[in-house]
Amino acid sequence: MTDSPITPLAPIPPVVPSGRMAALAQPSYVLPCGLHLRPWESYDASALVAAYADPDIRHWNRPDPLTEEQAVTRIARWHERRLAERSAVWALAPADGGCAVGLIGLADIDLRGGSGEFMYWLLPAGRGAGATTEGLTVLTRWAFEELGLHRLRITHSTANPPSCHVALKAGYPLEGTMRGALLHADGWHDEHLHARLSTDADQ
């Protein structure tokens, strides 16, 4: 008695082919709140320095302080990482011009697996107008419909209700809590996990 030959499985194709993201122009949008969602520019360096010194942004996002020269370098690296299809970062800025007052980033991009993670912050000058929710809404649509990702997620400390509110309002339901998931200056924090699929109905 001989064993039947095993039929090799066909390889699983990538959800998004390599090169697709680099070939897409990074989009810009004027949001209903009046802010402009656009790529970061070198002249936004002072806003990045201010953000990384802001107590709330430092507490929840844990960035290292930057000099203005380091901020210019970081912004240039963000553009390089987008072309390398690893992340994409947008500034929230006044629609009539001026420096950024906030950031929305799509990081941990896995084109083969079809996923990525959004993160966001706002300086005090950008808070209270709903800019983050509006920006997440349009970028979610772009990530699903133009880039072709399948799953997008948002994680945040359970002690940060405003971030949770933004995620829920942008249509990212809560999937669960990750215990002791991230170390902040005041100790380990549990993290909420929110996610949307490209097959979800608009919420």
Side-chain angles (χ1 to χ4, degrees):
M1 181 177 179
T2 59
D3 293 333
S4 300
I6 298 174
T7 303
L9 296 174
I12 299 173
V15 176
V16 178
S18 177
R20 176 169 176 78
M21 180 175 170
L24 289 173
Q26 187 172 356
S28 297
Y29 304 92
V30 176
L31 302 176
C33 67
L35 291 183
H36 186 194
L37 188 66
R38 57 161 175 81
W40 280 75
E41 303 292 348
S42 58
Y43 62 78
D44 292 311
S46 60
L48 192 59
V49 172
Y52 284 15
D54 179 85
D56 287 337
I57 293 173
R58 283 186 56 77
H59 183 68
W60 300 120
N61 296 275
R62 311 180 311 156
D64 293 325
L66 294 176
T67 65
E68 192 148 339
E69 182 179 2
Q70 290 171 328
V72 170
T73 299
R74 176 155 299 189
I75 291 167
R77 190 179 305 131
W78 284 342
H79 290 286
E80 293 169 1
R81 288 175 63 85
R82 186 186 69 82
L83 292 175
E85 303 184 315
R86 298 177 65 184
S87 62
V89 183
W90 284 264
L92 286 159
D96 58 358
C99 287
V101 296
L103 174 148
I104 299 178
L106 180 58
D108 292 335
I109 294 174
D110 175 9
L111 295 183
R112 173 168 284 278
S115 67
E117 179 171 345
F118 276 120
M119 56 83 64
Y120 41 84
W121 51 253
L122 283 172
L123 282 162
R127 296 171 190 166
T132 309
T133 299
E134 292 177 3
L136 277 172
T137 299
V138 298
L139 289 178
T140 297
R141 188 176 304 116
W142 173 82
F144 285 150
E145 297 179 3
E146 301 298 325
L147 183 54
L149 297 180
H150 170 68
R151 176 179 166 88
L152 298 168
R153 66 186 180 274
I154 294 169
T155 62
H156 64 82
S157 169
T158 56
N160 187 2
S163 193
C164 193
H165 177 74
V166 167
L168 292 171
K169 197 168 181 182
Y172 284 75
L174 178 63
E175 289 193 339
T177 300
M178 302 180 293
R179 297 181 302 142
L182 196 62
L183 181 61
H184 289 259
D186 57 350
W188 288 98
H189 282 227
D190 293 350
E191 293 251 312
H192 276 165
L193 170 63
H194 301 255
R196 282 191 65 172
L197 304 181
S198 60
T199 52
D200 288 344
D202 287 339
Q203 300 182 36

